Amino acid sequence: MNTGIVASRYAKALLRFAEENQEESRVYQEMLQLRRSFQQVNTLTAALLNPIFSNEKKVELLTAASLSPECKDASTSTRRFLQLVVEKKRTEMMPFIATSFVHQYEQAKQITRAEVIVAQPITEATEERLRNIVAKRTAGVVNLDVRIDPSLRAGFILQFDDNRMDAS
C-alpha cells in the first residue's frame, strides 16, 4: 500500500468535509498543530500504535495534539475525522495525512510557505519586504517563518517553493 496515496485521499476527504462544514481554516490550524506535535513529540506515534490504549484514548490523544495552547476544543470536522481514522486503524498514517492536508489546503488557497534564515532578529518592515518579494513571484498569500541561525554571520537565506535566495 502506498502511504502517500492513502494519506492524500484521507486529506482530500477531510478538506471537502471541512469545507462543507465551513471550518476549513480552523481545521487547517489544527492540522498545522498536529503536524507540529508529531515533529516535536517523538513518542506520539508509538503511543498511538500501542495496543493497550483504547480507540477512545487514541482519539483523545490525537485531539489534544491538534489543539493549540489558546484553543480549548477541536472543530467538529477534526473530531469526527480523527474518530474515523482511528476506527479504520489508520492512526500510523496521521502524520502523513496532516502534512498532506496542509499542502492541499495551501494549494487550494494559494498560500506559499516561505522561510527566511537570519543571523539576528529582523524588524517587521524587513519581514514585510521579504514577504512582498515572495508574493510578487507567487501571486498569492505568503506565510513567512523567520528562523534565527547564529552560525550565519550576516545577511539572510530566503527559501520558498523550489527557490532559494542566498544573501548571506
Side-chain angles (χ1 to χ4, degrees):
M1 170 182 350
N2 188 333
T3 303
I5 292 172
V6 174
S8 178
R9 288 181 179 163
Y10 272 84
K12 184 185 280 185
L14 175 58
L15 182 58
R16 286 187 182 155
F17 185 59
E19 286 172 345
E20 287 173 9
N21 293 329
Q22 298 177 347
E23 296 180 313
E24 64 266 20
S25 62
R26 186 167 173 201
V27 173
Y28 171 67
Q29 294 302 319
E30 292 166 347
M31 289 299 116
L32 278 173
Q33 181 59 44
L34 185 59
R35 188 175 70 170
R36 247 181 261 120
S37 295
F38 276 110
Q39 291 170 346
Q40 294 171 350
V41 182
N42 298 332
T43 57
L44 183 56
T45 303
L48 291 170
L49 295 176
N50 190 333
I52 294 174
F53 291 123
S54 67
N55 284 352
E56 294 79 29
K57 288 290 182 193
K58 291 177 182 180
V59 171
E60 285 178 28
L61 184 60
L62 283 168
T63 303
S66 70
L67 296 176
S68 59
E70 61 273 356
C71 195
K72 301 230 185 294
D73 196 26
S75 66
T76 303
S77 298
T78 297
R79 280 195 321 263
R80 291 193 55 207
F81 180 76
L82 294 175
Q83 289 170 345
L84 173 76
V85 168
V86 171
E87 284 174 17
K88 297 293 181 183
K89 303 198 182 316
R90 300 280 193 188
T91 53
E92 76 280 355
M93 310 265 325
M94 272 314 299
F96 307 107
I97 294 170
T99 300
S100 184
F101 178 88
V102 167
H103 179 70
Q104 289 181 28
Y105 179 88
E106 288 174 349
Q107 268 189 323
K109 302 293 183 184
Q110 295 182 327
I111 298 171
T112 301
R113 196 163 274 292
E115 178 184 48
V116 64
I117 304 167
V118 293
Q120 299 175 357
I122 58 176
T123 65
E124 296 258 344
T126 304
E127 257 186 70
E128 192 58 36
R129 285 180 49 207
L130 292 170
R131 193 175 283 114
N132 288 337
I133 289 170
V134 176
K136 284 180 186 174
R137 293 180 183 216
T138 61
V141 178
V142 178
N143 283 348
L144 184 67
D145 297 324
V146 178
R147 193 178 79 191
I148 298 172
D149 183 1
S151 68
L152 209 62
R153 290 188 176 193
F156 66 91
I157 300 171
L158 178 63
Q159 303 174 136
F160 63 96
D161 295 337
D162 291 334
N163 300 299
R164 179 181 173 113
M165 296 171 62
D166 193 341
S168 62

